[in-house]
Amino acid sequence: FLLSLKLENKTKGKLQKQICQVVLDHFEKQYTTELGDTWTSVRDVLTYPLCWQYAVLLNKFSQSAELENTLRVKGYHPAFQGPLPYLPASLKCYIRRTPGRFPAQKHQAGKLKEYYLLNAASLLPVLALEVKDGEDILDLCAAPGGKSVAILQCAYPGQFHCNEYDDLRSRWLKQTIESFIPDPLINLMTVSKLDGRQIGDLKPELYDKVLVDAPCSNDRSWLFSSDIQQATLRLIQRKELSSLQFQLLRSAIKALRPGGSLVYSTCTLSKAENSDVINLILNSCSNVMPVDISEMAKAVSQEFTFLNDTQQHELLVLPEKGRAWGPMYVAKLKKM
């Protein structure tokens, strides 16, 4: 018993050690102001990885009936059920209430993976985008590639342009696509390393749908920065992120065809990077209007916890125990 207690304390110590105090103090100040009492329960989930959950997104290009049976036996159930405005039958994602991660699959050249492990909330931007067969799609900040893979589970785009400016992340994106998407389909995709802020000028009015899963202050991973100097630098540079996000959105709007729609998402709770950026866009671009996504939020409210006082064109997923998904901010706009 004493030995197991020692081991438990050691594990706890390990977890405690990993938390970056500089980041936690910063978040504490900001999110107590922005979220009030809600922050306490969110913080408890974010700082305790043992209660994190992982969803299993099935790959329709490498299907296995066995896998679905295994997941059901292990207590998993479909993440999305019920009257969603958009839910293609080919998009299958499994979750369970208990924490833990299904074993990951290694990348093997020439062999497609059967599933992708992800935070279930990161599928909400894809569901909000409502991609249909034959549409021309741009995923502006596509790495590591989970949302690109999810889009292809939903529909077969006319042209599918995945872009990632960062060199390392771009390689990661390419590997994800190779791991999940069969060759004939890969040949119809474009993977580029352009500066997302310039794509609108380079490819004006070329796309029906654009996803801007913007670079943001990733609350989950930042809390576990092992390098204090890097963490401090991140917090200083954090102020500049909203300006980059605004420029990426402006570029995305230029790349959209009139009548086309855009989804903006981040994995931060930060108001400055979420609703403030969207409000700035709505106030400065007369050719876009907000799109109501409250029906989608209502349809998935069994599995996700949302911040209460958001507007109809946006939602913010708050992690809580047993539903440890998010943070994930999603907003939808349409070009006139």
Side-chain angles (χ1 to χ4, degrees):
F1 172 72
L2 276 174
L3 185 66
S4 70
L5 199 67
K6 262 185 191 160
L7 281 172
E8 199 184 329
N9 286 339
K10 208 173 174 180
T11 321
K12 273 189 185 151
K14 228 182 188 168
L15 283 172
Q16 288 318 112
K17 255 206 291 280
Q18 286 176 323
I19 290 171
C20 182
Q21 201 56 47
V22 184
V23 176
L24 185 58
D25 292 346
H26 181 88
F27 284 1
E28 199 74 55
K29 229 185 268 167
Q30 181 183 348
Y31 294 148
T32 303
T33 309
E34 289 179 15
L35 300 171
D37 296 340
T38 313
W39 165 240
T40 314
S41 57
V42 170
R43 182 192 58 206
D44 290 349
V45 173
L46 291 182
T47 54
Y48 193 57
L50 289 181
C51 74
W52 292 5
Q53 290 156 276
Y54 295 85
V56 183
L57 173 67
L58 305 196
N59 184 13
K60 71 175 181 187
F61 304 111
S62 172
Q63 263 178 337
S64 135
E66 213 176 299
L67 174 61
E68 286 195 69
N69 293 335
T70 306
L71 287 167
R72 287 181 191 276
V73 167
K74 289 187 180 293
Y76 283 83
H77 62 272
F80 304 107
Q81 300 173 69
L84 270 144
Y86 170 84
L87 182 63
S90 52
L91 180 78
K92 292 184 175 182
C93 176
Y94 281 83
I95 59 175
R96 61 175 181 182
R97 289 277 177 184
T98 47
R101 185 201 282 253
F102 199 68
Q105 289 180 309
K106 283 196 164 59
H107 172 73
Q108 289 175 283
K111 194 173 189 299
L112 293 182
K113 291 187 182 182
E114 292 178 355
Y115 56 88
Y116 188 96
L117 299 179
L118 77 177
N119 184 323
S122 59
L123 292 176
L124 295 178
V126 174
L127 291 174
L129 199 59
E130 300 190 23
V131 175
K132 297 182 178 61
D133 287 347
E135 288 181 327
D136 296 327
I137 314 293
L138 168 63
D139 189 349
L140 193 69
C141 318
K147 291 181 184 69
S148 300
V149 167
I151 285 169
L152 288 170
Q153 302 304 314
C154 295
Y156 292 94
Q159 42 171 321
F160 190 21
H161 181 178
C162 299
N163 181 68
E164 179 54 54
Y165 184 49
D166 181 87
D167 208 34
L168 188 68
R169 289 174 64 81
S170 176
R171 288 206 292 276
W172 191 4
L173 169 66
K174 279 189 178 142
Q175 190 180 71
T176 302
I177 290 169
E178 276 169 29
S179 292
F180 287 92
I181 310 304
D183 278 346
L185 199 53
I186 288 183
N187 298 338
L188 302 176
M189 296 169 69
T190 306
V191 181
S192 66
K193 287 202 317 192
L194 300 164
D195 183 336
R197 293 169 293 189
Q198 291 162 6
I199 282 185
D201 291 325
L202 295 170
K203 299 182 181 292
E205 302 197 344
L206 209 63
Y207 304 98
D208 301 299
K209 306 268 167 81
V210 179
L211 174 64
V212 184
D213 186 39
C216 65
S217 46
N218 183 329
D219 296 353
R220 268 184 201 247
S221 69
W222 281 25
L223 274 165
F224 294 89
S225 313
S226 48
D227 181 338
I228 303 252
Q229 276 170 310
Q230 184 202 34
T232 312
L233 187 64
R234 272 176 173 170
L235 292 174
I236 293 165
Q237 292 171 339
R238 191 178 197 206
K239 293 181 186 72
E240 293 156 28
L241 278 168
S242 53
S243 157
L244 168 65
Q245 291 152 348
F246 177 76
Q247 289 167 31
L248 288 169
L249 272 171
R250 281 266 296 269
S251 173
I253 291 163
K254 284 182 187 170
L256 260 186
R257 291 185 179 129
S261 50
L262 171 157
V263 168
Y264 173 75
S265 59
T266 73
C267 50
T268 179
L269 299 160
S270 174
K271 189 170 165 289
E273 297 175 52
N274 294 340
S275 47
D276 287 359
V277 174
I278 291 295
N279 290 338
L280 193 57
I281 280 287
L282 288 170
N283 292 331
S284 60
C285 301
S286 56
N287 61 342
V288 290
M289 58 177 281
V291 178
D292 187 346
I293 54 170
S294 58
E295 278 305 305
M296 178 185 86
K298 209 159 52 206
V300 297
S301 59
Q302 292 265 219
E303 301 294 353
F304 298 92
T305 306
F306 297 106
L307 182 68
N308 276 332
D309 52 353
T310 54
Q311 298 181 77
Q312 288 185 314
H313 60 272
E314 57 178 0
L315 57 86
L316 178 61
V317 180
L318 302 172
E320 65 168 37
K321 286 204 171 87
R323 300 199 281 191
W325 314 115
M328 180 60 57
Y329 175 80
V330 183
K332 186 170 185 177
L333 308 173
K334 185 180 174 120
K335 185 171 181 175
M336 317 291 277

